[in-house]
């Protein structure tokens, strides 16, 4: 089955070191998305990047440093995304959110009919 519709996408950028109430920020954001019933969220760990601080953040494979750039991508309806924003306002101390309208194509398997 194939569905097409417009939706809102958020790309939330911060670093792996960022926390919310003692846990990694990316985990807290994903948990909040689940709690609010959003369609889904995915976390990407970057190799390298920089932002407003002009500091370069790295993913170090040979060290215990945890300052890699992180991006959480969330896609859902405008209404559901708007319910998430006030929570992000509280959770994010430093970072960037990019928001855009996207065309979604969702594929799902049709339910099998057993005879």
């Amino acid at each position: 089955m194939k569905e097409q519709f417009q939706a809102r996408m958020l790309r939330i950028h911060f670093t792996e070191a960022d926390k919310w109430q003692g846990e990694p920020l990316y985990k807290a954001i994903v948990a909040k998305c689940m709690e609010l019933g959003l369609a889904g969220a995915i976390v990407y760990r970057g190799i390298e990047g920089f932002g407003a601080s002009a500091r370069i953040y790295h993913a170090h494979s040979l060290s215990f440093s945890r300052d890699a750039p992180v991006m959480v991508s969330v896609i859902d309806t405008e209404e559901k995304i708007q319910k998430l924003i006030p929570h992000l306002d509280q959770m994010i101390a430093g970072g960037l959110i990019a928001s855009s309208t996207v065309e979604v194509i969702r594929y799902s398997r049709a339910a099998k009919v057993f005879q």
Side-chain angles (χ1 to χ4, degrees):
M1 180 179 206
K2 178 180 175 180
E3 300 175 80
Q4 287 186 257
F5 54 93
Q6 278 202 331
R8 174 68 55 187
M9 178 171 57
L10 294 183
R11 292 184 189 125
I12 309 159
H13 301 263
F14 49 94
T15 71
E16 197 172 22
D18 289 314
K19 305 273 188 219
W20 172 250
Q21 296 181 342
E23 72 175 317
L25 179 58
Y26 64 88
K27 286 186 176 190
I29 292 172
V30 169
K32 183 55 69 176
C33 289
M34 286 186 68
E35 179 186 317
L36 294 173
L38 274 77
I42 187 164
V43 178
Y44 300 93
R45 184 174 190 252
I47 296 170
E48 185 170 274
F50 75 95
S53 69
R55 180 175 180 264
I56 295 180
Y57 296 94
H58 303 275
H60 301 284
S61 60
L62 300 176
S63 76
F64 294 105
S65 174
R66 293 301 210 179
D67 68 347
V70 172
M71 182 184 74
V72 179
S73 180
V74 182
I75 301 174
D76 210 315
T77 64
E78 179 71 35
E79 296 78 28
K80 286 192 176 181
I81 293 293
Q82 288 305 316
K83 290 179 183 177
L84 176 62
I85 299 292
H87 299 283
L88 296 176
D89 289 343
Q90 293 176 352
M91 299 167 90
I92 299 173
L96 173 78
I97 298 176
S99 174
S100 56
T101 301
V102 294
E103 184 70 26
V104 173
I105 302 171
R106 179 172 42 201
Y107 297 95
S108 59
R109 293 186 178 151
K112 290 184 180 181
V113 178
F114 295 98
Q115 298 178 356

